[in-house]
Amino acid sequence: MPDRADARDTVQSLFATGLRNAHAMEAQAKQLLNRQIERFGDYPELKSRLQQHLEETDRQQERLDQILESMSEPASTLKDAAMSLFGNLAAAAHMPAGDEVLKDSFASAAFENYEIAAYKSLIDLAQFAGATEAVPLLRRSCEEEQAMADWLSSRLHNVTRQFVTQATGVAPAAV
Ligand SMILES: [Fe+2]
């Protein structure tokens, strides 16, 4: 049986790993957002919301760094770099095929929900680790991800209609 001090160290270490993983996740989010912002000139409302979320993502990474620093843990840039490379490969394999705005909208919705799950789990880990000052910072990031997921979900209908109109030159009948 590990003693209490060992258990506390283990929880701290699990929390620090979770924070570094979330930092790398946000690095990948920035790649996804940047790629979409470049491509979605025809969808100004979508582009401007993605731009806004890119700025939020920068602040989310800063919050994670702030928490890691408060625990005297360095942020892992190595792991971010490895994930970034993977992100670039994924971007190359995902070249435009005409319906990229739809596929990217699905990917964004999936990614935002992944981020929500990661932050919910991190909030629990912060509480186990006794890092009470980290909880409001993580909650704020989680709320931003939730707002982005809700927005993407609410816009999918219009994005699909606009895509059909652009692909066919004909506005779809009202549904
Ligand atoms: Fe996000």
Side-chain angles (χ1 to χ4, degrees):
M1 273 290 280
D3 64 23
R4 271 181 172 280
D6 282 350
R8 197 176 52 233
D9 284 354
T10 303
V11 173
Q12 287 273 339
S13 151
L14 289 172
F15 182 44
T17 300
L19 290 165
R20 286 196 203 94
N21 287 340
H23 199 276
M25 169 187 79
E26 296 298 2
Q28 207 173 13
K30 287 205 280 193
Q31 287 207 329
L32 192 70
L33 290 164
N34 272 317
R35 197 177 83 225
Q36 294 183 357
I37 288 163
E38 272 171 31
R39 297 207 302 213
F40 294 159
D42 290 344
Y43 298 80
E45 193 193 15
L46 181 57
K47 187 173 169 168
S48 112
R49 185 63 178 91
L50 292 170
Q51 189 75 51
Q52 184 195 335
H53 195 53
L54 182 61
E55 285 157 26
E56 286 173 342
T57 304
D58 278 331
R59 290 196 292 276
Q60 291 167 356
Q61 279 195 313
E62 285 164 15
R63 285 180 203 129
L64 293 165
D65 280 336
Q66 186 188 332
I67 300 167
L68 281 164
E69 276 162 28
S70 75
M71 298 165 68
S72 305
E73 295 271 355
S76 169
T77 48
L78 260 181
K79 195 159 192 180
D80 275 8
M83 292 262 301
S84 294
L85 178 64
F86 174 77
N88 278 333
L89 292 174
H94 206 250
M95 293 302 279
D99 59 352
E100 69 271 18
V101 69
L102 297 183
K103 286 190 280 197
D104 278 344
S105 293
F106 310 155
S108 292
F111 204 94
E112 293 307 327
N113 280 286
Y114 181 97
E115 292 181 301
I116 291 163
Y119 279 113
K120 282 185 175 169
S121 173
L122 265 182
I123 291 164
D124 276 339
L125 281 174
Q127 283 162 338
F128 278 121
T132 47
E133 73 293 340
V135 171
L137 296 173
L138 296 169
R139 279 218 175 102
R140 182 137 178 233
S141 295
C142 193
E143 283 162 11
E144 288 168 356
E145 307 298 16
Q146 187 71 61
M148 185 63 186
D150 290 348
W151 189 88
L152 285 167
S153 173
S154 75
R155 302 314 294 162
L156 189 57
H157 178 67
N158 278 1
V159 168
T160 304
R161 287 177 64 84
Q162 186 179 340
F163 168 72
V164 172
T165 303
Q166 285 184 342
T168 62
V170 181
V175 285

